[in-house]
Structures are given as structure tokens and as C-alpha cells.
Amino acid sequence: MLATQYMRIDPPYRDRLRACGLDTVTRVLSRVEGRIAAWSRTTDTLYVPSPDGTPGFYVKRYFFPSWVKRLRGTLRGTFFGMHRGHAEYRALNAMRALGISAVRPVAYGGQRVAHFLSACFLITEEVPDAPNLTAFALDVAAGRRRLTPAQRRTMLRTLAEQIAALHATGFSHGNLFWRNLLVRHGPDQQPEFFLLDAQPLRAWERLGANGHWWQRELAQMAVSAMPFTSRAERLRFLRHYLGGAPLTPQVKDQLRQVLLHARAWRKHELRRIRMTELFDDWNRQLLAELGGADAAGAKTLAPEPRP
């Protein structure tokens, strides 16, 4: 059957992606060198370091190997519309255009068989020294990172204000679990957060029960925070998010809705947190065995499972 390929690269990144072996659809989809950052049966995320020491790249790939999966994708609009890589590329750029800190998408592409999507991908530039917030919290809980009470308060306030600014623009991230937030401390030691894996709701999806979409996103953050924060800290986060507004009966009712959403996700999120912990432990063992520096280009053989 007729197979076609398409790849869009931001021009300033063309040479760097070529140096990393990520400049064609075939090279991206067949790449095995690098470090697996996440994995499922049909999806993986590969970290590819840059040979010149500049920030590397994360390659998120979606595979649809069977015709059943390709037909399912067609029902989700991939036959005539955008695939996941293209959609996330646009969502990340939309956030960045609004002044919201997000990872930088630099390329996307896909492969079709008889126009049915068989694979697609998104490439984003690495944010150096920035683990996702769940991994960061696990390190703090295990004593691998130190965080003073003042630093915790600053991180809490900064994150709440950033999410409030995001929602004030009317932009729906759609997937605001902690694993989709990167965190690092800048040169001034102030926390910086970067969003990734955006899946914004479409206009028609905001109707009806999804009209209070921001409550759903606060619930996603709350369920990720529950194993690592106190009830007082979570309430303080919401007060910062609301800009210090008083807890009126209407606000309290909204917060109850947030908690109801969060409880529905709790079992699933605890499983995801546990998988992150297991995967990070395995990667630390790998780095120790390979001497750290040599591990940057090593292929991970025990990738993160996803439900």
C-alpha cells in the first residue's frame, strides 16, 4: 500500500536535529539510541542528548501498528485532522504565545499508509535540570533533595500563580497532573515551572458538565499533590490561586467539586506515582552502573509501564 511521510521542523533547529539523527521521519521512528523516558505498548518518549553539549531533545512517538488501532484513530479525527504530535505542537506554542512557560516544541511528523495514520511524533527541546514535579516530590520525600519550609511555600505560591495566569487566559491544558509539569530553580534560586503534554479541551467539549473545566484541572493537580502535601498546604495553594479571595459559600462549593473530581482519580494517580518511582529507581541504578557520563547515550531496557 502507498505509504507517505511528513515532517515539519522549525528552521533554527534543523541543523541540531540533523546532528542528533532526528531530521527525517524514518530516522525518528526507527531511532533506538538514547534514554527511554516513558513507555507504553504503543507510545514511548526517548531522550536524545545533543553531541555538542547543548540541550538535547525529547522524542514522543505514537505507533498504530494494527489496522484496528488505525481505524480507531480515524474515528478520533486523524484521517482528515491533526494527529497527536501536531495537536500538542500547536497547544504548546499557543501557551508560549500567551506568555505561559511551556517546553519548546521544535518538530512534529507522521507516517500514513493509504492515508491511515500508522505513526506520529513530537520533538521538544530539553529543559536542563528540570525533572517532572512528581519525580521531584519523590526525591524530596526520600531525602535525595532538601527543601526548606520557606522554599516549599515559595514553590506553592509560584505554581498557584502560574496556573491562575494560565486559566485567566481561558486556556485549558487538559492534563494538569504533576507528571506534566517540569520544575527547576533558576540562577536566582526561584522556582520555574514548565508545562508539557497539553491536551486542551475543544470549544464544544467545554459545554455542559465540562463548563467548569478549571475545577477539573485543579482536581488533577490536587490528586497528584495529596501524597506529598498537607491539607493546609493544598488549601494555601487554592487561596493563592484565587488571589487571596475570601472563602465564600460559593467558593467553598467549588472546592468541594474539586475534591470530588480528585477522589475519582486517586487510585489511578497513586499507581502512576508508584510507576514513576520504580522507573526513576531503575534509571538511577543504570546511571550508577554506567558511570553517569556514559549513561547519557545508553538505551534503557526497562522502560516505564503505563496503564
Side-chain angles (χ1 to χ4, degrees):
M1 290 188 181
L2 178 65
T4 58
Q5 297 180 336
Y6 172 77
M7 182 173 186
R8 199 273 187 196
I9 301 176
D10 289 354
Y13 289 87
R14 193 172 299 278
D15 290 341
R16 288 179 57 193
L17 289 179
R18 184 181 299 114
C20 292
L22 299 172
D23 57 329
T24 70
V25 172
T26 298
R27 297 180 80 184
V28 170
L29 295 179
S30 62
R31 176 87 183 208
V32 293
E33 298 85 8
R35 173 170 54 82
I36 296 286
W39 175 86
S40 72
R41 293 183 183 89
T42 58
T43 307
D44 65 22
T45 301
L46 183 70
Y47 170 69
V48 179
S50 179
D52 60 2
T54 56
F57 299 97
Y58 282 92
V59 184
K60 188 173 185 179
R61 303 182 290 195
Y62 301 88
F63 297 97
F64 308 94
S66 69
W67 280 103
V68 171
K69 295 184 183 299
R70 293 171 191 174
L71 289 170
R72 286 176 182 170
T74 297
L75 295 175
R76 298 188 183 103
T78 61
F79 193 82
F80 295 110
M82 291 183 293
H83 56 68
R84 289 282 299 274
H86 187 184
E88 189 175 347
Y89 176 93
R90 292 188 59 178
L92 291 171
N93 275 332
M95 282 192 290
R96 292 172 62 85
L98 291 169
I100 303 300
S101 293
V103 298
R104 182 187 296 275
V106 301
Y108 67 86
Q111 177 173 277
R112 294 178 180 271
V113 177
H115 202 68
F116 289 89
L117 188 68
S118 60
C120 65
F121 60 86
L122 170 73
I123 303 178
T124 57
E125 187 177 33
E126 173 192 15
V127 180
D129 303 316
N132 70 63
L133 191 52
T134 294
F136 182 94
L138 286 166
D139 282 346
V140 172
R144 291 185 292 269
R145 292 180 186 266
R146 288 193 67 251
L147 204 61
T148 67
Q151 288 174 322
R152 287 180 72 100
R153 290 191 295 269
T154 299
M155 290 183 68
L156 182 150
R157 184 186 70 251
T158 301
L159 181 57
E161 291 173 351
Q162 184 169 327
I163 299 305
L166 170 71
H167 287 167
T169 68
F171 190 93
S172 160
H173 181 279
N175 202 21
L176 265 182
F177 297 99
W178 275 18
R179 58 183 175 272
N180 295 323
L181 279 159
L182 304 182
V183 59
R184 71 178 182 186
H185 285 81
D188 58 357
Q189 295 306 305
Q190 294 301 302
E192 299 175 333
F193 295 94
F194 301 84
L195 294 166
L196 66 152
D197 201 17
Q199 299 176 21
L201 295 175
R202 301 177 183 89
W204 60 268
E205 290 177 315
R206 298 191 185 205
L207 302 175
N210 287 329
H212 297 298
W213 53 270
W214 58 272
Q215 294 180 5
R216 185 174 182 273
E217 297 196 354
L218 288 180
Q220 291 169 345
M221 299 204 70
V223 72
S224 294
M226 284 177 178
F228 307 107
T229 60
S230 66
R231 183 176 181 277
E233 286 177 318
R234 296 192 293 275
L235 182 59
R236 195 176 301 123
F237 174 92
L238 290 169
R239 293 294 299 273
H240 285 305
Y241 173 87
L242 295 169
L247 295 179
T248 63
Q250 180 183 11
V251 171
K252 289 180 180 178
D253 182 63
Q254 292 171 340
L255 297 184
R256 280 192 288 271
Q257 294 302 314
V258 169
L259 289 176
L260 286 174
H261 284 303
R263 287 170 185 158
W265 282 315
R266 188 167 188 179
K267 184 176 180 180
H268 176 266
E269 185 63 8
L270 286 173
R271 186 166 64 249
R272 292 298 301 266
I273 291 170
R274 178 57 179 160
M275 288 190 295
T276 296
E277 184 176 24
L278 291 171
F279 188 68
D280 285 353
D281 285 345
W282 195 94
N283 266 333
R284 276 190 293 272
Q285 293 175 25
L286 175 68
L287 289 169
E289 291 173 4
L290 298 181
D294 293 336
K299 179 186 176 184
T300 300
L301 300 178
E304 175 189 9
R306 288 182 179 174

